[in-house]
Amino acid sequence: MARLFPMFAATLAVVSLSATALGAENIFDYGNGDDLRGSYPEQWGFSDEPDPLEFEIGLRYWYSLGSSQLSAFGGNYSSADTSQIAELHFRIDDNSTASYAKGQVGYAAIIEGTYSTPEFVGDQTMSGGNIGYAGADFGMMPWGNETFKVGGFAGYQFLSDNPDMGRANYTTSGGGGASQVNAVETHMLKLGAVARMEFGDVVDLTAEAAAIPFAKMDGTYGAFYQPDFVVGPDTFEQGSAGTIDGMLYGASGEVMLGFSPTENLTVRVGGRGWYLTGDATMQFRAREVGTPSNSADYIGDITGLEFFRYGALAEITGTF
């Protein structure tokens, strides 16, 4: 037994050395190195392809001309203004899906013009008021090539178009007087088509046209004026501002021509316009003269309702 142990140990050592030598040979000679995985490239995980997202953000100046008209309870109301509007806008293009999203917020800094109401007949000088809007569109342009693309979009726009038209006085329930300015708001749905042409990396032309199949308009029409009227033995006077409510429809359009003097700067000029018409009602409260607590509400159809705004645009935009 004592002799077997040294012999067993020697045999085990020879086998181990043989296995080690064979393993070393396999390591250095395995497929001559052709089947081994190479090292990762130096920029593994990064792509040389351009980013599919493109961003634009900038400022616009809109020199706009607006007009409105309607008739209610036998009285005619109209306005015509020239307004200078500052606008902030943005756009995001996803080139991988040929889709885009854009939005804008605008507010009039200067409003001038004329108006006429049953209380103030003839052209009255307008100075001030409130014109503001905000909206967003989502569209896709899947047809075309690198030079010319077409597609469609859907969008929403909020509009508060209230140039100064004066304010009619009315009697409160306590017998005092009050008045309010116009504060009418419109919520619009837009469905349209868009086309874009690019002339190299320097010039681009974008045009869009949209139908406005639905526009909900409501709010206070403070210019509404109702003269005293007689019902049976009682005489009534105006006891509130007018309240307008309507379901409108219309159209809008915009064309912009752009020039890019540098890779990250674009200057554009163009024009924009929208038009709304439809059915609406005017409501007001009448109070008995001498007994203002005795009141009745009246509602009537509006006829000839139209809102129109159009004008020239200038834009400066950063792209990245």
Side-chain angles (χ1 to χ4, degrees), residues 175-229:
S179 64
Q180 298 183 50
V181 298
N182 285 4
V184 179
E185 297 180 349
T186 305
H187 302 267
M188 293 182 279
L189 170 66
K190 300 191 300 179
L191 299 173
V194 58
R196 182 180 178 92
M197 295 184 67
E198 295 185 358
F199 305 92
D201 296 327
V202 179
V203 178
D204 63 79
L205 176 65
T206 304
E208 63 178 46
I212 303 175
F214 172 83
K216 180 67 171 68
M217 180 187 68
D218 56 24
T220 301
Y221 200 77
F224 174 75
Y225 172 72
Q226 177 60 51
D228 293 357
F229 60 96

Side-chain angles (χ1 to χ4, degrees), residues 35-120:
D35 297 326
L36 292 178
R37 177 182 296 176
S39 61
Y40 288 117
E42 185 175 341
Q43 295 185 355
W44 177 75
F46 296 91
S47 172
D48 293 332
E49 294 297 321
D51 192 327
L53 295 180
E54 295 180 1
F55 299 86
E56 291 187 2
I57 187 168
L59 295 173
R60 291 191 183 121
Y61 165 70
W62 187 15
Y63 182 83
S64 73
L65 305 175
S67 65
S68 70
Q69 64 179 34
L70 62 87
S71 298
F73 291 98
N76 299 321
Y77 302 79
S78 64
S79 68
D81 70 89
T82 299
S83 299
Q84 302 183 52
I85 299 174
E87 180 179 307
L88 174 67
H89 75 95
F90 74 90
R91 180 182 175 113
I92 304 172
D93 284 275
D94 184 353
N95 297 319
S96 65
T97 60
S99 63
Y100 70 89
K102 70 172 187 174
Q104 61 281 323
V105 177
Y107 190 81
I110 300 174
I111 304 173
E112 298 174 328
T114 59
Y115 68 92
S116 177
T117 70
E119 185 177 17
F120 305 105

Side-chain angles (χ1 to χ4, degrees), residues 123-274:
D123 289 341
Q124 308 295 314
T125 300
M126 171 196 302
S127 180
N130 177 282
I131 300 174
Y133 55 86
D137 299 338
F138 175 78
M140 299 191 71
M141 304 179 70
W143 302 293
N145 51 39
E146 295 298 322
T147 302
F148 179 72
K149 296 180 181 180
V150 295
F153 69 92
Y156 161 81
Q157 181 158 317
F158 165 82
L159 173 64
S160 175
D161 197 330
N162 297 290
D164 177 34
M165 293 181 64
R167 54 173 74 186
N169 293 319
Y170 58 85
T171 302
T172 66
S173 59
S179 64
Q180 298 183 50
V181 298
N182 285 4
V184 179
E185 297 180 349
T186 305
H187 302 267
M188 293 182 279
L189 170 66
K190 300 191 300 179
L191 299 173
V194 58
R196 182 180 178 92
M197 295 184 67
E198 295 185 358
F199 305 92
D201 296 327
V202 179
V203 178
D204 63 79
L205 176 65
T206 304
E208 63 178 46
I212 303 175
F214 172 83
K216 180 67 171 68
M217 180 187 68
D218 56 24
T220 301
Y221 200 77
F224 174 75
Y225 172 72
Q226 177 60 51
D228 293 357
F229 60 96
V230 176
V231 178
D234 301 320
T235 301
F236 285 83
E237 60 187 347
Q238 184 173 346
S240 73
T243 301
I244 195 170
D245 185 83
M247 300 293 290
L248 311 184
Y249 61 91
S252 68
E254 182 177 299
V255 177
M256 297 295 288
L257 176 65
F259 172 71
S260 301
T262 68
E263 181 181 359
N264 300 110
L265 181 66
T266 301
V267 178
R268 294 188 177 98
V269 294
R272 172 197 291 157
W274 60 58

